[in-house]
Amino acid sequence: MANIMIRQNAAGGLVFYLPKRDLEAAIESIEFDTAEKWGGVLMLENGGSYYVDPIAKPARLPISVRARRLGAAED
């Protein structure tokens, strides 16, 4: 599992950042996006996918969480 950061960009979308690989990509979809349950499978714009254990929706961003890679990005 890797430590990642999720932040909001100027357009209001979510951005995934993995410091260990200097990988930054927009999040295209998030499995759970309610106040009670936020996280799950994150699909990235580059084709990669990661899993974040669902938590209560954070009050503000950026947030650092642990994530597990599910699928590799397309080159």
Side-chain angles (χ1 to χ4, degrees):
M1 291 185 88
N3 288 318
I4 65 157
M5 184 179 74
I6 297 175
R7 66 175 176 83
Q8 201 162 23
N9 64 16
L14 296 176
V15 177
F16 172 98
Y17 180 63
L18 177 60
K20 189 172 185 178
R21 296 187 180 182
D22 196 28
L23 169 67
E24 184 171 275
I27 298 174
E28 288 188 344
S29 68
I30 184 167
E31 184 177 10
F32 304 110
D33 193 12
T34 65
E36 303 82 32
K37 196 173 185 181
W38 185 86
V41 177
L42 308 177
M43 298 301 295
L44 307 181
E45 69 179 348
N46 64 6
S49 58
Y50 285 79
Y51 180 80
V52 173
D53 287 331
I55 58 172
K57 190 168 191 167
R60 57 187 152 144
L61 297 173
I63 185 172
S64 292
V65 292
R66 306 251 317 142
R68 185 174 71 238
R69 185 170 68 173
L70 298 177
E74 298 295 325
D75 290 330

